[in-house]
Amino acid sequence: MEKQKTYTLNDAHLHFARAANGEIWALLEKPVRTRDEDAHLLAAAFASYYHWSFAGREVHLQRAEYMIARAFLALGNPREAMLHAARCLEMTRNYPDQMADFDLAYAQEMMARAHAAIGQLELALKFKDAAQMAGEQIQNQEDREIFFADLAGGNWYGLQPPML
């Protein structure tokens, strides 16, 4: 008989936070989603935040805010994306000791996209430039390359993508 593993509540929250995050990425990478998949995308983003609030630290919540903003942008709701992008950046600034060097770059990138999506192109350009500068400070070469590939891709809502 197979022995069952037991989990603490914290272990369960950690498991579900990671699983929800993986679901978000899988759904964002789909070229076309159904209405149900769109609903699942948003639910997974909020579920990730919820579970990280028990099993993580502020850095995990900061990254969850990024994913919520990204989900709202993907769903065509830039005003909600802006609210969560601003929370992501605020957390990045309030807890710098917990952040990796790429967290600031991604927070700036999301602010740029959210501003562009609501038509505030001047502010979007300011944040895009800040994201690029923060990206240049990423120490790990692989992390830096991933960030700049992400920065160059996706929808820029009328802004030119960064010249890399």
Side-chain angles (χ1 to χ4, degrees):
M1 180 174 199
E2 189 176 319
K3 182 178 178 183
Q4 276 192 311
K5 183 175 176 164
T6 59
Y7 294 90
T8 66
L9 184 55
N10 192 65
D11 290 341
H13 280 300
L14 183 60
H15 169 79
F16 290 122
R18 289 176 175 158
N21 191 66
E23 287 290 318
I24 299 163
W25 284 112
L27 288 165
L28 284 172
E29 290 171 357
K30 289 188 79 168
V32 177
R33 288 181 308 277
T34 67
R35 184 185 289 183
D36 287 343
E37 288 171 329
D38 283 347
H40 188 84
L41 170 63
L42 196 56
F46 279 104
S48 178
Y49 184 95
Y50 173 79
H51 289 293
W52 280 125
S53 74
F54 292 101
R57 299 174 64 204
E58 286 80 10
V59 64
H60 300 103
L61 296 176
Q62 180 265 11
R63 292 172 185 170
E65 287 288 359
Y66 173 90
M67 294 306 288
I68 293 169
R70 190 164 174 155
F72 272 123
L73 275 182
L75 297 175
N77 192 331
R79 298 259 176 227
E80 284 295 321
M82 178 61 73
L83 293 173
H84 292 281
R87 286 184 63 176
C88 174
L89 183 58
E90 179 183 4
M91 293 182 83
T92 306
R93 291 178 173 157
N94 288 345
Y95 302 98
D97 57 315
Q98 291 187 34
M99 302 296 148
D101 55 5
F102 57 78
D103 286 313
L104 177 59
Y106 277 104
Q108 300 280 14
E109 173 257 344
M110 186 49 60
M111 287 293 291
R113 288 184 198 273
H115 278 292
I118 61 174
Q120 296 176 338
L121 299 183
E122 190 173 313
L123 277 172
L125 185 57
K126 174 186 153 197
F127 281 107
K128 186 175 80 169
D129 289 345
Q132 183 145 358
M133 288 190 316
E136 291 166 2
Q137 301 304 310
I138 298 172
Q139 296 298 306
N140 179 279
Q141 182 176 341
E142 182 180 0
D143 289 344
R144 190 171 49 254
E145 289 172 2
I146 291 169
F147 170 73
F148 279 112
D150 288 344
L151 187 67
N155 191 344
W156 276 101
Y157 307 94
L159 269 187
Q160 292 293 336
M163 302 305 276
L164 304 175

